[in-house]
Structures are given as structure tokens and as C-alpha cells.
Amino acid sequence: AESVGCAGCHGGDDAPATVGPSWNGSWGSEVVLDDGTRVLFDEEFVISSVRTPDLQRRKGDWLHMPAFTAEQISDTELADVIAYLIALGEL
């Protein structure tokens, strides 16, 4: 999460979020989207948020999340980020 730049905006461990919503304790929680739809913060949501962030935009005044291609964040790196998010959800 740090090496690909995600933690710089979303925080992690004990670091506060600075630009985007915090990840701490988010795994498995309900996320309210701009259109009022509610989704689960899970692997599908994270992948969608990274690859096509405007598809399921979280409600709030967050800065625009850029899309990251597989060349920018590989599927393996994304799986590692997801494992990290699961661990943060257990905090």
C-alpha cells in the first residue's frame, strides 16, 4: 500500500487519511455511494475503486480518485493491498 502510493491518501495502521477516506476498520463495512446505493467494502469494491473509481464513487467531499491500470498497480500488488485492508479491518 505504501510502495504503490495508496497509503499516502488513505492512511493505514495508525496513520490518518489525508486525501481519501480512511481504510482503518473499513473491511466488511457498508459504504454509501454518491447515488445513495449501499455496497460492502470488500474485494469487489476495492478492485472497482482502483480500476474504475467513478463507477462506485463514495459519498462525501473526497478528492477524485484516479484510475490505476494493471501496468500501474499489478493484480498481484492489488491482491497484496486487499490482504492489508483485511488486516486493517480487524483492528
Side-chain angles (χ1 to χ4, degrees):
E2 287 184 22
S3 68
V4 294
C6 305
C9 292
H10 294 284
D13 294 329
D14 291 327
T18 57
V19 176
S22 175
W23 286 340
N24 289 320
S26 292
W27 192 262
S29 67
E30 186 176 75
V31 177
V32 180
L33 304 178
D34 271 348
D35 67 0
T37 304
R38 297 174 184 274
V39 298
L40 191 63
F41 191 107
D42 61 5
E43 183 174 357
E44 182 180 334
F45 175 74
V46 172
I47 292 170
S48 174
S49 295
V50 170
R51 301 289 187 222
T52 54
D54 288 335
L55 186 64
Q56 293 184 311
R57 188 160 166 80
R58 187 187 287 248
K59 187 173 185 167
D61 294 330
W62 312 111
L63 294 180
H64 178 73
M65 164 91 176
F68 291 90
T69 66
E71 289 77 33
Q72 294 168 303
I73 298 176
S74 71
D75 290 340
T76 301
E77 289 169 323
L78 187 51
D80 289 343
V81 170
I82 289 168
Y84 176 63
L85 294 174
I86 291 169
L88 285 176
E90 297 170 354
L91 296 178

